[in-house]
Amino acid sequence: ERNGVQFAVADLSLAGFGRHQMRLAEHEMPGLMAIRAEYAEQQPLRGARIAGSLHMTIQTAVLIETLVALGAQVRWVSCNIFSTQDEAAAAIVVGDGTAETPTGTPVFAWKGETLEEYWWCTEQLFDFGDGLGPNMILDDGGDATLLVHKGAEFEKAGAVPQAGEEDHLEYRIILDTLRRSLASDPQRFTKVAAETKGVTEETTTGVARLYKLAKEGELLFPAINVNDSVTKSKFDNKYGIRHSLVDGLNRATDVMLGGKLAVVCGYGDVGKGAAETLRGQGARVVVTEIDPICALQAAMDGMQVVRLEDVVEQADLFITTTGGTDIITAGHLAAMKHNAIVGNVGHFDDEIDMAGLAKVPGVERVTVKPQVDEWRFPDGHAVIVLSEGRLMNLGNATGHPSFVMSNSFTNQVIAQIELWTKPGEYAKQVYVLPKHLDEKVARLHLDALGVRLTTLTKKQAEYLGVDVDGPFKPEHYRY
Ligand code: NAI
């Protein structure tokens, strides 16, 4: 804590560098800046205490300052151990002040956290001082939401269970975190759950967790699925990855992509962007899928759809985009050719079996540079694994660029305003934003690209059965 601002970041002296980048980012984030202007007087988020868990990048810094500009009090952590841009974290803490007298927003995030540090940071979200917790959550991947739900569950039971032998290392750390919390305040997360007006969730994986909780009747507060705004998943997931995947590959390895055989596992929104960008570089791209519809899409887009086993020995590059588990096993890694590059852009690290890789007898890990590891097998061949199997577009680069994140984050801010200002209208379910707001987000980004939209005449609108001002498509339309 310095000058009354709590924080845990790498280096506050990076704030100036962060601020310069934020200034440039603001120009590329017309949606967020328009929302700031629209609501400056109204202050719709006054009274909101938002716990935010989302990659602490420059774009997120502009989001945080937008929430604050609308009246919210905010605490922030990153939702991934490698995704923080330290200069962005510093700029948010420093605010209008200096490193000695910061005046900004509390951030607990730095690039290269351990898992223990990651969960310690996440815990810091829930203490706004004076005995107050958050009353809103903004999540990416659902870790903040998970901590509240698990915490409240164990508080009700009065004890945190012991981890089983088979439990994932990260789950053990979560249990330890909650055990500490229960000892210091046995009602902490129960209170947070009761106070929280809702959560707005950024990504596919976090949304899947929310629908599961809602289905089981265990969701403790209303949720807005930001991911499935059209202006989020059909833009950020696809066009964002189209930019940041190749950025990450280049910064990590600088390997020539043209001519290489690249496997993209999963052909959903992220997979489509990944395949497109690799093809753009001249790579020969093949796809794996489990869903016949997405497999057929890949085939119709001109890519061969294969099983991983068919190409594991020939491919030069493997990118997982499924949001699933066990996609690339230790056996696959052992079968790859020398210096094959392996990276994941799905939300969690279990798409690539890193734990299994570490257990291969005689395998040796040589760190080339941060977030780039060569794993040498006893037979002499090696594979190059990026960001330890975690989101490599954020670990090896700086994630998606500002313009596309402006679309995603404008949805986030609108969703926060919805849940905060209309608590009576939302039950403990998962909602998507109405289409007119989705269209509004898109509209806010047209001028910057010189788009001249055609306006329907009254006759045309009647003919189509829509309003002149939209919404233009029925709910079931898929874009
Ligand atoms: P999606 O559901 O549209 O696509 C995933 C695809 O993977 C689906 O088509 C599914 O059929 C396929 N799939 C599942 N299991 C498979 C398997 N075993 N083998 C082959 N294919 C399989 O989801 P979306 O939106 O593309 O997101 C994917 C992941 O990426 C999620 O974890 C999401 O949270 C994350 N994400 C990451 C971003 C980043 O910046 N790195 C940005 C946005 C989302």
Side-chain angles (χ1 to χ4, degrees), residues 383-423:
V383 294
I384 298 165
V385 181
L386 307 181
S387 289
E388 299 177 16
R390 298 168 194 277
L391 295 169
M392 54 71 64
N393 63 315
L394 282 135
N396 297 89
T398 51
H400 300 349
S402 301
F403 191 79
V404 88
M405 293 316 292
S406 179
N407 286 269
S408 307
F409 289 166
T410 305
N411 280 293
Q412 276 286 4
V413 177
I414 292 173
Q416 286 282 322
I417 295 172
E418 277 292 306
L419 289 178
W420 177 247
T421 57
K422 302 175 187 164

Side-chain angles (χ1 to χ4, degrees), residues 70-144:
L70 268 48
Q73 221 187 315
V74 178
R75 289 171 85 81
W76 213 268
V77 299
S78 204
C79 62
N80 180 287
I81 59 175
F82 294 133
S83 65
T84 297
Q85 280 177 267
D86 288 325
E87 66 275 22
I92 286 301
V93 171
V94 166
D96 293 331
T98 64
E100 289 66 43
T101 51
T103 59
T105 294
V107 175
F108 306 86
W110 57 96
K111 191 175 181 77
E113 297 160 4
T114 64
L115 281 173
E116 282 85 357
E117 288 166 345
Y118 174 84
W119 284 100
W120 175 85
C121 288
T122 305
E123 204 188 341
Q124 306 314 307
L125 283 179
F126 298 99
D127 182 5
F128 277 72
D130 300 330
L132 293 173
N135 51 25
M136 290 292 294
I137 298 176
L138 192 158
D139 222 350
D140 181 341
D143 278 352

Side-chain angles (χ1 to χ4, degrees), residues 32-46 66 68-71 417:
L32 278 186
M33 300 314 276
I35 291 284
R36 273 192 209 181
E38 181 181 345
Y39 289 110
E41 253 174 64
Q42 208 181 315
Q43 297 281 293
L45 293 177
R46 191 184 298 124
T66 305
V68 171
L70 268 48
I417 295 172

Side-chain angles (χ1 to χ4, degrees), residues 1 14 48 50 83 91 94-95 98 139 148 216 262 351 362 381 404 479:
E1 182 168 323
L14 297 171
I50 302 173
S83 65
V94 166
T98 64
D139 222 350
V148 178
E216 289 160 2
E351 301 208 22
H381 92 288
V404 88
Y479 297 86

